[in-house]
């Protein structure tokens, strides 16, 4: 029974296989999250949590869990937030290594977190661009990310990047708290549509998958209240146990980079002798640029206004 942050945590069934094609066990998952906590916890601290749980391993029942169970120990931090449709919900918050280990034992493979913190849940401190390819052309993803970086830097912002552990990249911009989610979403829309205007044959902001016509989707729809994004350093529930890995912009320039190339098995080889590329994120926050009325973008690629039928056909 390990003691972490002064809390004793019983690891149950550590030999249970969670990734059957790879033989990766719950014990392996707990070990990874325990070792990565020093890097991961500062990036997820004070953010409401959405748990992606697989009690019987990937390929079996997936549980998407937002509400914290009453059975969780009181030392795990909580936050109660408003549901915009009415009522409230209480989330767990990962504020220390003990919580991360407890959640891994609870069969949480992937942590997803809000773009705002518990002190100002209606005001984001991150803006995210999800570069989602329609095919296996990761070169296009890398080139688009570098173009996006240059555009954001022209706007006096400091972008960071991570692999998704799936097929694309996330470009993340730390901002000072103040703008609403609506303002952050409009800003991200404007930037994305500027990129699309420069390469409409390869890029799109179209939410409906069938309308993308093979182009890379610049998804900004997670810039909204209560939306979540895969946490940095989180394990993905995919074959090989790939990791959503913070990387440097020089990594993005390398042809060898893959979006799912870092896994539980090779993470420590990857991290060896590498400084944390997101270590300075807090000091990199800048004010979100304001948009004039003429700069506010067409919202046709946003979730808002999309019919239920269209949503059901979307990716």
């Amino acid at each position: 029974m390990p003691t972490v942050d002064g809390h004793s945590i019983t690891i149950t069934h550590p030999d249970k296989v969670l990734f059957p094609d790879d033989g990766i066990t719950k014990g392996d998952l707990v070990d990874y999250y325990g070792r990565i906590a020093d890097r991961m916890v500062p990036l997820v601290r004070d953010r409401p949590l959405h748990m992606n749980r697989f009690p019987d391993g990937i390929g079996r029942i997936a549980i998407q869990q937002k509400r914290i169970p009453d059975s969780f120990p009181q030392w795990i931090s909580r936050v109660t937030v408003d549901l915009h449709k009415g009522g409230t919900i209480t989330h767990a918050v990962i504020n220390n290594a003990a919580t991360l280990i407890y959640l891994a034992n609870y069969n949480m493979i992937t942590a997803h977190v809000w773009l705002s913190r518990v002190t100002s849940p209606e005001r984001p401190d991150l803006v995210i661009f999800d570069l989602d390819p329609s095919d296996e052309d990761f070169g296009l993803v890398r080139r688009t990310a570098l173009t996006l970086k240059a555009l954001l830097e022209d706007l006096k912002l400091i972008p960071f990047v991570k692999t998704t552990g799936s097929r694309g990249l996330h470009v993340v911009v730390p901002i000072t708290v103040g703008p609403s989610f609506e303002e952050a979403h409009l800003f991200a829309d404007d930037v994305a549509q500027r990129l699309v205007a420069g390469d409409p044959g390869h890029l799109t902001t179209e939410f409906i998958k069938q309308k993308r016509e093979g182009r890379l989707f610049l998804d900004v729809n997670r810039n909204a209240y209560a939306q979540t994004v895969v946490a940095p350093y989180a394990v993905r529930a995919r074959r090989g146990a790939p990791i959503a890995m913070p990387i440097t912009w020089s990594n993005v320039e390398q042809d060898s980079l893959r979006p799912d190339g870092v896994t539980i098995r090779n993470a420590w080889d990857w991290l060896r002798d590498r400084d944390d590329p997101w270590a300075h994120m807090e000091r990199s926050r800048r004010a979100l640029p304001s948009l004039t009325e003429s700069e506010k973008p067409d919202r046709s690629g946003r979730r808002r206004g999309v019919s239920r039928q269209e949503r059901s056909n979307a990716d």
Side-chain angles (χ1 to χ4, degrees):
M1 180 183 297
T3 299
V4 186
D5 300 322
H7 305 292
S8 296
I9 304 171
T10 301
I11 306 303
T12 56
H13 309 295
D15 295 329
K16 179 170 65 176
V17 176
L18 296 181
F19 294 79
D21 290 337
D22 307 282
I24 295 170
T25 66
K26 184 163 77 169
D28 295 327
L29 185 73
V30 168
D31 178 68
Y32 168 77
Y33 276 126
R35 293 177 67 185
I36 204 64
D38 284 348
R39 289 197 183 208
M40 182 174 175
V41 170
L43 299 172
V44 298
R45 181 178 286 122
D46 294 332
R47 299 187 186 278
L49 171 69
H50 176 152
M51 297 173 267
N52 187 197
R53 298 180 53 236
F54 289 82
D56 299 312
I58 68 169
R60 307 293 294 274
I61 294 174
I63 300 174
Q64 304 296 331
Q65 186 167 338
K66 298 180 181 181
R67 194 178 303 274
I68 187 171
D70 293 338
S71 60
F72 271 31
Q74 287 303 305
W75 54 260
I76 292 181
S77 297
R78 297 155 164 77
V79 61
T80 299
V81 294
D82 291 332
L83 296 169
H84 280 183
K85 293 182 179 180
T88 62
I89 184 171
T90 301
H91 292 262
V93 182
I94 302 173
N95 281 356
N96 52 38
T99 299
L100 196 53
I101 290 170
Y102 185 94
L103 292 168
N105 185 62
Y106 190 57
N107 300 297
M108 183 197 76
I109 290 179
T110 311
H112 300 261
V113 293
W114 284 31
L115 300 178
S116 58
R117 296 182 186 265
V118 300
T119 49
S120 300
E122 302 271 357
R123 305 280 174 178
D125 66 351
L126 298 172
V127 174
I128 185 166
F129 299 84
D130 182 359
L131 279 55
D132 182 11
S134 61
D135 54 31
E136 299 305 314
D137 184 4
F138 193 59
L140 174 61
V141 180
R142 293 189 299 106
R143 293 190 299 273
T144 303
L146 292 169
T147 303
L148 175 56
K149 171 181 181 285
L151 176 53
L152 292 167
E153 289 176 339
D154 285 345
L155 295 170
K156 311 303 181 186
L157 297 169
I158 302 176
F160 292 76
V161 63
K162 73 174 187 283
T163 62
T164 61
S166 180
R167 300 185 338 128
L169 292 172
H170 285 167
V171 175
V172 181
V173 184
I175 61 171
T176 53
V177 175
S180 66
F181 272 105
E182 177 72 4
E183 292 169 305
H185 201 161
L186 280 171
F187 169 79
D189 267 341
D190 177 60
V191 170
Q193 292 195 32
R194 286 199 227 176
L195 285 182
V196 170
D199 191 2
H202 294 101
L203 308 177
T204 183
T205 57
E206 177 54 62
F207 177 69
I208 306 304
K209 185 175 182 180
Q210 289 82 355
K211 296 182 180 180
R212 295 179 198 164
E213 299 173 340
R215 295 170 292 176
L216 184 150
F217 178 34
L218 288 165
D219 186 1
V220 298
N221 292 304
R222 295 192 181 276
N223 295 288
Y225 179 77
Q227 288 289 308
T228 62
V229 63
V230 61
Y233 298 107
V235 180
R236 303 306 302 269
R238 299 170 61 89
R239 183 174 182 175
I243 293 166
M245 179 62 69
I247 57 176
T248 66
W249 285 105
S250 61
N251 294 140
V252 180
E253 296 172 353
Q254 298 169 1
D255 291 341
S256 59
L257 181 70
R258 298 302 308 161
D260 56 357
V262 182
T263 71
I264 274 186
R265 297 293 196 205
N266 65 17
W268 308 111
D269 291 334
W270 171 269
L271 292 169
R272 186 178 297 117
D273 300 324
R274 294 178 190 261
D275 293 332
D276 185 348
W278 286 23
H280 303 302
M281 179 173 280
E282 281 300 317
R283 72 181 70 168
S284 300
R285 299 192 183 284
R286 300 292 184 269
L288 189 73
S290 299
L291 298 180
T292 65
E293 283 300 318
S294 63
E295 290 174 324
K296 291 181 179 179
D298 172 10
R299 297 187 178 193
S300 60
R302 294 184 58 176
R303 286 179 183 267
R304 180 172 297 175
V306 176
S307 72
R308 181 175 298 178
Q309 181 62 42
E310 287 179 313
R311 290 189 191 195
S312 69
N313 292 331
D315 184 15

